[in-house]
Each structure stands twice: as C-alpha cells, then as structure tokens.
C-alpha cells in the first residue's frame, strides 16, 4: 500500500511538471501537450490508469485553474473511453464550477473525438458514436439531465451504425448506415427521443 501511495505521488508530481512545461520565449507552441502526452504513452497500463485518475482530479477543481485547460488539451491526444468518461464528467458538473472557455473547449474536444451535438433551446441532443446511441438532455438549475435515449430498434436488422445527427424539417434526425445500398433517416421527437418517421436517404 505504501509503495502504491509513493508511486501515485511520484506520478502526480511528474504530471504537474509535464503540464507546466514552458513554451520557448518566441511564442505560444503548447509544448506541454506533446511532452505530457508522450510521457503518458510511455507508461505501463496500470500507471496510465492512475494518471487518468489524476487528470480527472485536476478537471474537478473549481474555478479558474490553468492546469485544467492544459489537461483538456492533453486529452485530445487520447481518443479512447477513459477520455470520453472524463469529458462527460467535466461537462456534467454545474457550469459555475468552470470558466466559459474551459467548458467550450471541453465541448469542442468531445465533439471532435466522439460526438455530434445539437443544441435546441434548453435541450442538448448528442450522438454518441461509440455507444451507437443518441442521448437527450434538458438543462436544469444544476446542469444537464438525461431524459431519453434513441438506439437502433432490434427489428431494423439491416441497420448498423448511427453516423450523423442533423436537423431535418426542424427535428433532430439520425442518419443510419445499413447493409446494402441505402441509408435510413430517423426523424426524432426532441421531447421524447422517439422516432416520428423513417425514410431512406439513398
């Protein structure tokens, strides 16, 4: 146990040192990103897991913390489920805990790595590529609350993957790749997450 605690402290100290890597005096190059990402990639899996826990701790800190912004930028180098969980946890917290710039950065990173998000008033509708699902959230006083999920119905045995989320005739619409030479569009009810109608797209 003492050995594990010592390793954890050492990893924490190295992580903070890597995140604080300064840029050369001639301009902003974000040198901390490749420095930190390269170090994390070199670690054995168990130590990588501990580093992601430490990144999660940094991201949970309230207020304006420069290390939070740097931690978010490093996460872009790691498109896998742990990153997705950290970004989801960050964005599910009360918006007042983070700066608008950090929240915007986290949204952009999540969308680039995994998601396609539509904002419709006080509703947020997100395609989760890895889960092959569309999740519906409503804004509350404490953050975003999930109220519905759309997945491909089992009886659509030719349908394979939800690959995009668009607006069609003022409704969120899931584009679904199918086996064969056609795709399906599912026009969804933003209040319930249920399909209103289906049609082929090609």
């Amino acid at each position: 146990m003492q050995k594990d605690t010592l390793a954890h402290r050492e990893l924490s100290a190295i992580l903070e040192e890597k995140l604080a890597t300064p840029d050369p005096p001639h301009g902003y190059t974000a040198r901390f990103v490749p420095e930190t990402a390269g170090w994390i990639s070199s670690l054995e899996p168990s130590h990588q897991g501990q580093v992601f826990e430490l990144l999660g701790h940094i991201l949970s800190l309230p207020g304006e913390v420069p290390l939070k912004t740097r931690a978010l930028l490093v996460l872009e180098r790691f498109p896998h489920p742990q990153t997705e969980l950290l970004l989801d946890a960050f964005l599910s917290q009360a918006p007042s805990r983070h700066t608008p710039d950090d929240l915007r950065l986290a949204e952009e990173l999540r969308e680039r790595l995994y998601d396609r998000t539509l904002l419709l008033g006080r509703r947020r509708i997100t395609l989760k590529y890895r889960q092959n699902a569309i999740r519906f959230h409503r804004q509350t006083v404490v953050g975003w609350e999930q109220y519905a999920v759309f997945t491909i119905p089992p009886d659509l045995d030719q349908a394979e993957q939800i690959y995009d989320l668009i607006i069609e005739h003022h409704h969120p619409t899931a584009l679904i790749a199918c086996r064969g030479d056609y795709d399906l569009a599912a026009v969804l009810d933003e209040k319930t997450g249920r399909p209103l109608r289906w049609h082929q797209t090609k």
Side-chain angles (χ1 to χ4, degrees):
M1 181 66 69
Q2 186 176 3
K3 184 178 179 181
D4 290 344
T5 302
L6 180 60
H8 193 78
R9 288 177 180 169
E10 289 177 349
L11 289 170
S12 179
I14 296 171
L15 175 62
E16 289 196 20
E17 179 186 343
K18 294 290 185 182
L19 287 174
T21 301
D23 281 329
H26 56 74
Y28 178 75
T29 62
R31 194 158 62 95
F32 67 89
V33 174
E35 287 282 338
T36 309
W39 170 68
I40 295 173
S41 298
S42 72
L43 297 173
E44 60 184 54
S46 63
H47 286 168
Q48 283 188 7
Q50 291 184 58
V51 169
F52 273 87
E53 288 179 14
L54 291 166
L55 288 169
H57 172 71
I58 290 171
L59 293 176
S60 70
L61 297 172
E64 185 174 355
V65 181
L67 278 185
K68 281 200 296 189
T69 307
R70 292 186 165 221
L72 286 169
L73 290 169
V74 167
L75 284 178
E76 188 172 13
R77 298 293 185 95
F78 296 95
H80 55 53
Q82 282 179 295
T83 296
E84 187 175 15
L85 289 173
L86 288 179
L87 291 174
D88 283 348
F90 182 84
L91 290 166
S92 68
Q93 296 170 6
S96 60
R97 288 183 62 86
H98 309 297
T99 67
D101 286 343
D102 280 346
L103 288 169
R104 185 164 51 250
L105 175 59
E107 288 278 10
E108 291 171 357
L109 289 176
R110 191 172 64 174
E111 184 168 329
R112 285 203 296 271
L113 290 173
Y114 306 107
D115 302 342
R116 179 81 67 223
T117 299
L118 300 176
L119 291 175
L120 301 177
R122 297 175 64 84
R123 301 180 194 273
R124 186 176 74 193
I125 304 166
T126 302
L127 165 59
K128 307 288 285 184
Y129 289 109
R130 287 177 179 268
Q131 299 171 15
N132 205 17
I134 294 174
R135 299 188 175 274
F136 293 74
H137 295 82
R138 63 170 64 91
Q139 192 171 26
T140 68
V141 293
V142 295
W144 292 95
E145 173 188 66
Q146 180 174 294
Y147 64 90
V149 179
F150 169 79
T151 57
I152 299 172
D155 56 326
L156 290 178
D157 55 359
Q158 295 296 308
E160 294 186 318
Q161 179 69 43
I162 306 172
Y163 66 87
D164 206 354
L165 177 64
I166 63 172
I167 291 290
E168 182 176 285
H169 303 300
H170 307 293
H171 289 288
T173 300
L175 300 183
I176 304 170
C178 301
R179 291 190 295 275
D181 60 352
Y182 70 97
D183 289 355
L184 281 176
V187 180
L188 307 175
D189 185 337
E190 62 268 25
K191 295 180 180 178
T192 65
R194 297 173 181 168
L196 298 170
R197 56 187 177 275
W198 305 80
H199 63 82
Q200 293 189 12
T201 61
K202 61 179 181 179

